[in-house]
């Protein structure tokens, strides 16, 4: 059991506070590790911070980070090893793609073998990384087929491949420099909810593992 949060603001406002608050109310889902990833499209910067301990302790020093798209995670280890290297989110710098998940991927050995046949290897011992790597491979595949296709079209096709090729129970949030995405396994075993919040001209969307994170931060489920 882990906690996942994704936030996107449509007015350029920083989402770090909402990510931290969302993770705070999902701390019970993962008390061992926490992390966040935010993208600032205006300044073309990306920040990944994660570590061992409670979300509040890890996120409080990060309030000055800028970024209007981001994801956060609280981890309870059910697969793999401990250590900060296995904390989420994971980041693919080549694609500017970051992902965090709640769940258990059951065919990690198969994915690792297929990556090995491509001359690649997993860098961590957490099943979120294989999920990210499969997603990245199919994004690259469909982008190569049609470089002019909209990002969301490519992303949705890649998720469809994941749902055919990655086994287990999972829900996931992912971000690119231009979007926030969320998806689950075909059976929808792991929980995930969506909410929105409008304050004046500001509109923000949050994805989370539980409605608690939404409601406590002023989002309508």
């Amino acid at each position: 059991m882990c906690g996942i949060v994704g936030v996107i603001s449509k007015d350029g406002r920083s989402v770090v506070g909402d990510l931290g608050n969302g993770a705070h109310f999902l701390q019970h889902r993962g008390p061992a590790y926490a992390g966040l990833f935010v993208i600032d499209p205006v300044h073309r910067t990306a920040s990944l911070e994660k570590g061992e301990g409670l979300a509040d302790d890890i996120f409080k020093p990060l309030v000055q980070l800028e970024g209007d798209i981001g994801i956060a995670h609280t981890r309870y280890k059910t697969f793999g090893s401990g250590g900060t290297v296995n904390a989420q989110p994971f980041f693919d710098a080549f694609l500017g793609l970051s992902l965090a998940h709640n769940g258990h991927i059951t065919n990690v050995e198969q994915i690792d073998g297929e990556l090995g046949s491509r001359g690649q290897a997993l860098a961590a011992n957490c099943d979120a990384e294989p999920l990210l790597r499969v997603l990245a491979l199919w994004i690259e595949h469909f982008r190569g087929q049609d470089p002019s296709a909209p990002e969301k079209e490519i992303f949705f096709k890649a998720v469809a491949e994941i749902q055919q090729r990655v086994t287990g129970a999972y829900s996931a949030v992912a971000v690119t420099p231009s979007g926030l995405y969320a998806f689950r396994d075909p059976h929808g075993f792991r929980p995930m909810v969506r909410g929105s919040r409008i304050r004046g001209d500001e509109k923000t969307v949050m994805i989370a593992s539980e409605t608690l994170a939404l409601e406590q931060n002023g989002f309508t489920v």
Side-chain angles (χ1 to χ4, degrees):
M1 184 172 72
C2 298
I4 55 175
V5 186
V7 183
I8 181 168
S9 172
K10 296 189 176 181
D11 65 348
R13 183 188 57 82
S14 175
V15 299
V16 173
D18 284 326
L19 289 172
N21 289 336
H24 169 82
F25 287 103
L26 297 178
Q27 187 69 81
H28 60 283
R29 298 186 64 88
Y33 302 88
L36 65 74
F37 178 85
V38 290
I39 293 179
D40 182 350
V42 175
H43 299 97
R44 300 182 179 226
T45 60
S47 302
L48 174 64
E49 301 285 347
K50 53 186 180 178
E52 184 173 0
L54 299 177
D56 285 354
D57 296 332
I58 295 170
F59 294 171
K60 279 181 180 176
L62 308 177
V63 293
Q64 301 303 318
L65 282 181
E66 294 294 331
D68 59 5
I69 314 172
I71 56 177
H73 188 268
T74 60
R75 185 185 187 209
Y76 177 82
K77 182 174 69 68
T78 57
F79 176 92
S81 304
T84 300
V85 67
N86 292 305
Q88 300 183 46
F90 282 88
F91 177 49
D92 184 313
F94 179 74
L95 292 180
L97 171 69
S98 183
L99 176 144
H101 93 319
N102 164 42
H104 186 194
I105 307 303
T106 57
N107 64 332
V108 172
E109 289 188 9
Q110 176 190 343
I111 294 170
D112 191 21
E114 291 176 355
L115 288 171
S117 69
R118 296 170 173 266
Q120 303 178 28
L122 295 172
N125 190 14
C126 172
D127 56 349
E129 188 195 7
L131 188 62
L132 171 66
R133 297 289 292 278
V134 175
L135 177 62
L137 284 172
W138 282 101
I139 287 175
E140 289 183 85
H141 171 78
F142 289 118
R143 184 172 289 165
Q145 284 189 336
D146 186 359
S148 65
E151 179 187 87
K152 64 180 181 180
E153 179 181 316
I154 290 173
F155 201 100
F156 296 157
K157 286 183 177 180
V159 168
E161 293 292 338
I162 281 180
Q163 292 179 327
Q164 294 294 319
R165 299 169 185 275
V166 176
T167 60
Y170 55 85
S171 57
V173 286
V175 289
T176 70
S178 58
L180 168 67
Y181 298 89
F183 60 93
R184 298 195 290 177
D185 66 82
H187 304 288
F189 284 131
R190 299 293 178 172
M192 188 161 59
V193 291
R194 181 182 65 184
S196 61
R197 185 182 65 200
I198 299 176
R199 293 174 176 170
D201 295 331
E202 170 200 315
K203 184 173 182 181
T204 308
V205 172
M206 176 184 281
I207 308 290
S209 296
E210 299 179 16
T211 58
L212 179 66
L214 303 179
E215 294 164 345
Q216 293 296 322
N217 289 290
F219 287 81
T220 299
V221 178

